[in-house]
Amino acid sequence: MKKIIYSAMRPTGKLHLGHLVGALKNWKDLQDKYCCIFGIADWHALMGEYENSDSIKENTREMVLDWLSCGLDPQKSVFAVQSEVAEHLELHIIFSCITPLGWLERNPTYKEQLREIKTRDLQTYGFLGYPVLQAADILVYRANAVPIGEDQLPHLELTREIGRRFNHIFKTELFPDCEPILTKTPRLLGLDGRKMSKSYQNTINLSDSSDEVSAKVKGMFTDPLRIKLSDCGHPDKCNVFEYYSVFAPEKKEEVFEWCSKAKKGCTDCKKELGLVLNQFLGPIRDKRENFCRNNGMIEDILSEGTAKAKTMAKDTMKKVREVVF
Ligand code: TRP
Ligand code: SF4
């Protein structure tokens, strides 16, 4: 039996290079070895975007197009829409009964989001339970491992604790211990050097045109100590150099040399990075265009994946009911 891997993304907008480097590349590599289920966490999207819920459907389509163009393969993996597998909710309510309030109120991610997100009211019953639903997402498939970013570690720890508590209370071993699988690539920062995020408008999207990419790269922040062309730069302190490390490691040495010895200016350095990124994104763009032309394909992929997921989730819920009631 292959190990089961589960991960999910919220359909809240177009995916960017940060998603690719931080998650999709990892997901793609796992597909060949494991039974992977990739979830479209539209209920989690709704928890934050309830006032804007009509965007979730379109975002789902865009996100799945991004997944496909990056090489996620519905022949190998299961793509499942969370809100169409009601078993997640059934498990969520049972987990809600056994999860101490303190675990949720203490959750650092929760506290941070309440503090930082001012554009939406997140003081809701549902949002407090965000990680309980996430635990249900993972455990309804009895997943053994979850590829996630470091920011999601507190949530996974809660999943593990909820699973253990369930096993203890209902005297069972139904839920396995699920391990995180972290990406090795360092986190890619946004154009302005902050975390890459849609809300900071500092992203390079997978679906950006080559002109958009060139223009965005042109505006990237560089080493602030290098003001004139004749100043020697500090590639280690420059985000542009980080991008070379990730997308063209074979050029690193050359860039280091021209930067630290002031042989080439930042404008040229960025022009060249634009070319590198466009070359990298070219095949992804081509695939996207092909998939876009194929009407109805996304719907078929999702309904097929969701049906498979439902079979697995139903099996778990049957066993859950047996031990609970
Ligand atoms: N909370 C995750 C995020 O924002 C999305 C998510 C929902 C998830 N359910 C999950 C991730 C289960 C991993 C496993 O990125
Ligand atoms: Fe950054 Fe390139 Fe300028 Fe050096 S030359 S500071 S690496 S943009």
Side-chain angles (χ1 to χ4, degrees), residues 184-231:
K184 283 168 222 91
T185 341
R187 198 168 69 174
L188 197 69
L189 296 174
L191 301 168
D192 54 3
R194 290 187 292 171
K195 175 184 165 186
M196 191 182 284
S197 159
K198 189 181 71 154
S199 41
Y200 294 153
Q201 296 184 311
N202 63 358
T203 64
I204 294 179
N205 297 331
L206 301 178
S207 50
D208 282 348
S209 69
S210 66
D211 287 347
E212 281 171 309
V213 171
S214 310
K216 283 181 174 182
V217 173
K218 201 171 161 196
M220 274 177 87
F221 287 22
T222 56
D223 172 9
L225 295 174
R226 189 171 188 210
I227 297 156
K228 295 189 287 346
L229 187 62
S230 56
D231 294 338

Side-chain angles (χ1 to χ4, degrees), residues 140-154:
V140 85
Y141 303 110
R142 284 174 279 163
N144 307 98
V146 184
I148 40 163
E150 252 178 76
D151 59 319
Q152 293 286 313
L153 277 179

